[in-house]
Amino acid sequence: IIAALNSDSQDIPNRSIYVKQFQTWTRSSGSDDPDKYCSTCNVWRPPRASHCSECNGCMERFDHHCGVVGTCIAKLNHRWFTLLLLSGQFGCGLLLCGSILRLLKRDYPSAWKQAETYILIVLAVTYGYHGLMLIFGNAHCLSLVLDVTSKDMVSNWQHVQKNPPCLPGARSPCRLVAVWQSVCCGPVRPRTFRPPRPASG
């Protein structure tokens, strides 16, 4: 179809749904956001999907590419990424509380002469810092609840403002429940290895 569209052929069924915007073909899919054609993957991307240049593939409900875990955070693994952040935050909180309790049992601050006091202070500061850094888990939990991705907040904020969560429209409570079911309770698919595509050119 793309070759026919590029040659301005009028023999394409439903030719009026295809529009070229900024060197990218789009097609109307019945929603406010059109499907976009990815020339790298040779697929029509649904709304809110994006191509990741790091993973070299299109991801549905793309959130971001995480260099820490080395993969894209998208529809199929957003719940696991959020769970990883929340469990890390919970673990840091427990270790911080344990360090503080141990310091109090050692009669802190009068126990400065023992090496364990210094070690416990360093551990408490480290766990506290990491617990604060992992607060992104709370933000991702909220983004799952409101069906907003990091990419939506950064590059598609007008769409979020047009469709605010929990109001009638694309993010009505009934639609949010359907999204929660598909993202949080969807099937778990094992990741298959895809060899990288050779560079074109």
Side-chain angles (χ1 to χ4, degrees):
I1 287 182
I2 297 302
L5 289 170
N6 285 331
S7 67
D8 284 334
S9 173
Q10 297 300 320
D11 297 335
I12 301 168
N14 298 324
R15 173 66 173 88
S16 61
I17 66 171
Y18 299 98
V19 177
K20 192 168 193 174
Q21 297 176 341
F22 307 111
Q23 304 296 330
T24 302
W25 282 102
T26 63
R27 71 177 177 192
S28 175
S29 59
S31 66
D32 291 343
D33 295 325
D35 293 344
K36 293 180 182 174
Y37 183 75
C38 178
S39 57
T40 306
C41 297
N42 294 322
V43 296
W44 286 98
R45 288 193 311 245
R48 300 179 70 198
S50 185
H51 181 84
C52 176
S53 58
E54 296 284 326
C55 295
N56 201 20
C58 288
M59 306 292 167
E60 189 177 356
R61 199 181 173 278
F62 180 80
D63 190 82
H64 70 284
H65 180 86
C66 181
V68 175
V69 294
T71 189
C72 284
I73 307 305
K75 181 179 179 179
L76 295 178
N77 65 351
H78 200 171
R79 59 183 159 181
W80 305 117
F81 180 73
T82 303
L83 187 62
L84 171 76
L85 292 177
L86 290 175
S87 60
Q89 185 181 16
F90 180 72
C92 283
L94 283 177
L95 292 169
L96 174 65
C97 290
S99 298
I100 291 172
L101 287 174
R102 181 70 180 155
L103 278 171
L104 293 175
K105 281 186 179 181
R106 296 197 52 78
D107 200 24
Y108 178 79
S110 62
W112 284 104
K113 294 181 182 175
Q114 298 170 353
E116 184 182 5
T117 303
Y118 294 104
I119 293 171
L120 288 170
I121 290 172
V122 168
L123 289 176
V125 169
T126 303
Y127 296 139
Y129 171 77
H130 283 86
L132 288 175
M133 289 298 105
L134 290 171
I135 205 139
F136 291 116
N138 298 338
H140 277 278
C141 202
L142 185 63
S143 76
L144 283 176
V145 168
L146 299 178
D147 187 30
V148 178
T149 64
S150 300
K151 185 171 174 82
D152 291 340
M153 290 188 278
V154 172
S155 64
N156 203 7
W157 186 245
Q158 291 82 17
H159 177 72
V160 175
Q161 288 177 324
K162 279 193 322 189
N163 299 304
C166 300
L167 295 176
R171 289 189 176 94
S172 67
C174 292
R175 297 281 301 268
L176 285 177
V177 168
V179 168
W180 297 337
Q181 286 176 336
S182 71
V183 173
C184 297
C185 304
V188 177
R189 297 183 190 127
R191 184 173 178 172
T192 57
F193 174 73
R194 272 189 314 177
R197 293 188 181 104
S200 60

